[in-house]
């Protein structure tokens, strides 16, 4: 399908269909991953492996997802978002299908870790990048609605996964999960590309277009590596990724260690999903009615998310653990939409595809190390308490690092990169080396 040309983001129209597609994609990617701790308990018992070894499944999934994000962005730039998203749906479903026949953890590392990691990236991130181009004024609302699918799915899938495991065993449950995940294919078919005039603002002159190095830099957004605002944001993202996924992996096993039964433990993941939805709604309302910028909201919500993770070891009774889990879900629910929207604010819609790819690539360092590190801490200490303390500390450090963003303490939002008067390089108010009269405080 030929891209539709708009003079400005339509802030609606077919963008709402893409919002629906992203909602389902986030449900079938993040929503399936979040309650996967139920399967980890089964894997530990079936293969007689420690927590640190089993945690590598989740870490490889997240790290592979982030590591291959630049490739997904480059392919979507070259061939369009639709075929890339549909290929990702096929690969994700195939990964869960093959995992149901695994005979050792190494095979789960490949089928769940690599296959679904790559597939989830190809299915979701190009779609979110396209969604950010369809909206401008309503971008925080559309992004929050799109990513709320993860919370809705977590609510429904946590008890469902436990029921399927009890009824069919973990192999039969994974087989049914693969059938659900294959629905990513029709979601990808809903994507319709569009062209904005701003897309040409960063285009290369004709004489540069023949250079393969420039073509490679354009496809992968490598010029952003010289962008101070983007690199500061990315370093904070690495710290956040190291702690963000710790509760998603270890909350259910932690509850089982506290002698809660399997359905009580599974309900904690459901509580996280319910609170996740509420957090996204509350965040969207606060963003639209307050004077603070997106980066300020992200700092606050990320910091409080870290505090909630630090509070997990304080829970002794089931009610206390449930309340802390709900707080974590409420606060964490706002973080991902804010991260995407804030990234658009920093680099502009024209460079968002490359920016998402690069930031996910570098965040793979934190995502790969966080859960195994917390699993190792559990194996050494004998409980998950110190694991949650480490994860929460990473989140708090990442949120405080956002204070170093250029112009952070100004209430004025810098404009996205635009073409300067000479037409040679894009003028970027977020980069202190190109201030051009913009006060960066």
């Amino acid at each position: 399908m030929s891209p539709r040309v708009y003079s400005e983001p339509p802030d609606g129209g077919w963008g709402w269909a893409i919002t629906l597609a992203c909602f389902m994609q986030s449900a079938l990617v993040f929503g399936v991953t979040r309650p996967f701790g139920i399967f980890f308990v089964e894997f530990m018992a079936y293969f007689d492996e420690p927590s640190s070894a089993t945690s590598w499944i989740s870490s490889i999934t997240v790290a592979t997802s982030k590591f291959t994000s630049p490739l997904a962005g480059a392919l979507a730039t070259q061939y369009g978002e639709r075929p890339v998203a549909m290929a990702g749906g096929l690969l994700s479903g195939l990964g869960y299908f093959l995992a149901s026949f695994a005979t050792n953890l190494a095979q789960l590392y490949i089928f769940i870790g690599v296959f679904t990691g790559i597939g989830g990236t190809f299915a979701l991130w190009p779609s979110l990048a396209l969604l950010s181009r369809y909206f401008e004024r309503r971008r925080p609302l559309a992004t929050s609605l799109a990513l709320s699918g993860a919370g809705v799915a977590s609510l429904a899938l946590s008890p469902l996964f436990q029921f399927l495991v009890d009824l069919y065993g973990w192999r039969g449950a994974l087989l049914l999960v693969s059938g659900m995940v294959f629905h990513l294919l029709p979601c990808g078919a809903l994507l319709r590309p569009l062209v904005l005039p701003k897309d040409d603002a960063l285009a290369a002159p004709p004489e540069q277009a023949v250079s393969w190095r420039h073509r490679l830099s354009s496809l992968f957004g490598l010029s952003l590596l010289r962008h101070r605002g983007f690199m500061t944001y990315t370093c904070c993202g690495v710290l956040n990724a190291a702690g963000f996924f710790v509760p998603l992996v270890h909350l259910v096993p932690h509850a089982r260690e506290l002698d809660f039964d399997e359905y009580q433990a599974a309900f904690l993941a459901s509580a996280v999903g319910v609170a996740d939805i509420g957090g996204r709604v509350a965040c969207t309302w606060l963003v639209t009615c307050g004077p603070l910028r997106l980066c300020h909201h992200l700092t606050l919500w990320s910091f409080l998310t870290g505090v909630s993770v630090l509070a997990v070891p304080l829970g002794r009774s089931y009610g206390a653990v449930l309340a802390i889990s709900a707080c974590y879900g409420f606060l964490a629910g706002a973080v991902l939409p804010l991260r995407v929207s804030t990234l658009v604010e920093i680099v502009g819609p024209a460079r968002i595809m490359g920016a998402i790819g690069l930031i996910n690539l570098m965040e793979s360092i934190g995502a790969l190390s966080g859960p195994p590190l917390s699993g190792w801490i559990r194996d050494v200490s004998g409980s998950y308490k110190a694991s949650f303390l480490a994860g929460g500390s990473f989140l708090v450090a990442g949120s405080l690092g956002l204070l170093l963003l250029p112009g952070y303490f100004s209430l004025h939002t810098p404009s996205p990169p635009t073409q300067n008067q000479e037409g040679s390089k894009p003028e970027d108010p977020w980069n202190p080396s190109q201030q051009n009269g913009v006060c960066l405080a």
Side-chain angles (χ1 to χ4, degrees), residues 198 201-202 347 351 415-421 423 425-429 434 436:
K198 292 181 181 179
L202 301 175
V347 304
R351 295 198 284 185
S415 302
T418 56
Q419 194 80 2
N420 62 16
Q421 292 179 352
K425 289 185 179 180
E427 179 182 313
D428 190 351
Q434 299 179 10
N436 290 336

Side-chain angles (χ1 to χ4, degrees), residues 170-336:
W170 66 266
R171 295 184 185 276
L174 280 179
L175 196 62
L176 293 172
V177 169
S178 70
M180 291 190 296
V181 173
F182 274 124
H183 286 82
L184 286 170
L185 274 80
C187 293
L190 286 174
L191 303 183
R192 178 188 293 175
L194 83 163
V195 174
L196 299 172
K198 292 181 181 179
D199 295 348
D200 297 327
L202 301 175
E207 62 271 13
Q208 292 181 341
V210 298
S211 170
W212 67 270
R213 286 182 298 179
H214 185 276
R215 181 60 176 166
L216 190 65
S217 176
S218 177
L219 283 176
F220 289 94
L222 299 182
S223 62
L224 290 169
L225 296 176
R226 300 188 300 270
H227 189 293
R228 177 183 160 186
F230 174 77
M231 292 305 298
T232 302
Y233 191 72
T234 299
C235 291
C236 296
V238 172
L239 292 173
N240 283 330
F244 189 83
F245 298 98
V246 171
L248 301 180
V249 177
H250 296 307
L251 185 59
V252 172
H254 172 65
R256 296 296 301 274
E257 282 194 350
L258 295 177
D259 294 329
F260 304 139
D261 64 49
E262 60 268 24
Y263 283 95
Q264 285 180 314
F267 186 73
L268 293 178
S270 295
V272 171
V274 174
D276 178 286
I277 302 170
R280 295 178 194 274
V281 173
C283 172
T284 303
W285 177 74
L286 289 173
V287 166
T288 56
C289 71
L292 297 179
R293 288 164 44 200
L294 290 171
C295 58
H296 301 151
H297 285 281
L298 178 60
T299 303
L300 176 62
W301 289 83
S302 297
F303 179 82
L304 293 177
T305 300
V307 172
S308 69
V309 176
L310 291 172
V312 171
L314 300 178
R316 298 289 189 271
S317 65
Y318 183 73
V321 176
L322 180 63
I324 295 172
S325 301
C327 287
Y328 165 76
F330 182 84
L331 296 166
V335 171
L336 185 56

